[in-house]
Amino acid sequence: MEQKYYKIHNTDLYIIEDFIGEIDIQEVIEDVEETVAPHFLEGIESIIVSPYPDEGRLLEGNTLYIRNDFYCEELLVEEIILAVGDFIYSNLVEEKRDDISKYFLFKRTKLFDEYSKKYNKRVSLYEFLGEEEDKVYVDNLNNIDFEDMIFLTQKYFGNYESSLSLKNYISNSFHLYVTESLNKKYDKKISKLFDNLKEEHYEEKY
């Protein structure tokens, strides 16, 4: 197919290879622009839709890569917003990232306290204290009833995906924030991060 070119606010959007499903790209663009304020996209040079990467989404420099295997506009909008959240995570200055990391690990500690009391008293706190996605942490969650796992992670992180890593926490919290689903009273620190997010909070990478 011929490459297609669009804009999301001031960010270039390239469709290198058409979507697998029937996607109304104009509807997607309108939804993203209505949901995400322009300043959150500052520094993102382009968003490229193609079969690359093999799975998930990818950030390389100031370019976001999103796969073309979507069948639903709503899920594509969500993926673009999460990708913007990935960019925010990757470009936070060290001081801001360290601050949110401490908050993330505090939440993991609270989750551990409840988990160890209710489900497994022999589990170690060490198994819950990591910024990166970790198999041991996931295995511990998978050892309890699915509904309990969802309830527990929602209670402290908003959803299961947010609990998996610091990157996921920021990306998914950003999605909840812009869709007005984040509990700002309970998640004051991450809400304040997005409230105050300006270009000066990014590393000078561009």
Side-chain angles (χ1 to χ4, degrees):
M1 63 161 278
E2 182 180 347
Q3 176 179 300
K4 297 178 182 178
Y5 169 73
Y6 306 90
K7 283 273 194 181
I8 299 180
H9 294 310
N10 293 317
T11 298
D12 296 328
L13 171 64
Y14 297 95
I15 312 295
I16 304 299
E17 190 165 324
D18 215 348
F19 293 98
I20 294 176
E22 293 291 329
I23 295 291
D24 184 338
I25 193 63
Q26 291 295 345
E27 179 182 329
V28 170
I29 292 171
E30 289 174 10
D31 284 352
V32 174
E33 290 186 335
E34 288 176 4
T35 306
V36 183
H39 71 269
F40 286 119
L41 278 75
E42 290 177 4
I44 302 175
E45 293 178 355
S46 57
I47 300 172
I48 296 177
V49 176
S50 72
Y52 174 80
D54 291 336
E55 59 181 31
R57 56 187 182 271
L58 182 67
L59 170 65
E60 289 185 349
N62 297 328
T63 299
L64 301 175
Y65 292 89
I66 294 176
R67 287 184 54 79
N68 66 329
D69 56 350
F70 283 88
Y71 294 85
C72 167
E73 286 86 2
E74 184 178 352
L75 291 178
L76 178 57
V77 169
E78 179 180 344
E79 185 75 352
I80 292 172
I81 294 173
L82 289 171
V84 174
D86 290 347
F87 178 80
I88 291 171
Y89 163 79
S90 296
N91 289 278
L92 284 176
V93 294
E94 185 175 354
E95 180 183 353
K96 290 288 181 182
R97 187 182 301 188
D98 288 347
D99 191 36
I100 297 300
S101 174
K102 291 175 184 176
Y103 187 55
F104 172 79
L105 295 177
F106 168 76
K107 284 176 167 286
R108 278 282 194 95
T109 302
K110 298 291 285 184
L111 190 152
F112 163 79
D113 287 342
E114 186 166 344
Y115 178 94
S116 60
K117 290 174 183 177
K118 289 185 177 180
Y119 307 108
N120 184 355
K121 294 182 178 179
R122 293 190 296 177
V123 70
S124 168
L125 175 60
Y126 174 79
E127 298 172 14
F128 281 67
L129 293 184
E131 290 185 2
E132 304 297 326
E133 186 168 338
D134 182 76
K135 184 178 183 299
V136 175
Y137 170 76
V138 173
D139 286 346
N140 276 316
L141 291 181
N142 287 336
N143 283 334
I144 65 176
D145 182 78
F146 178 78
E147 290 185 359
D148 290 339
M149 177 188 73
I150 295 301
F151 172 78
L152 198 59
T153 52
Q154 282 183 342
K155 180 176 179 179
Y156 294 104
F157 290 94
N159 58 44
Y160 168 75
E161 287 293 326
S162 294
S163 80
L164 294 179
S165 68
L166 178 61
K167 177 182 176 182
N168 279 24
Y169 176 56
I170 291 177
S171 298
N172 282 272
S173 293
F174 177 69
H175 178 264
L176 293 174
Y177 174 85
V178 297
T179 57
E180 301 182 347
S181 302
L182 187 67
N183 186 335
K184 294 185 178 183
K185 182 178 179 180
Y186 184 73
D187 277 308
K188 290 182 179 179
K189 188 173 289 290
I190 194 75
S191 296
K192 187 176 180 181
L193 171 70
F194 300 132
D195 284 341
N196 297 331
L197 194 58
K198 304 293 181 184
E199 190 171 347
E200 63 266 24
H201 290 160
Y202 292 165
E203 294 280 13
E204 295 298 329
K205 293 183 179 179
Y206 41 88

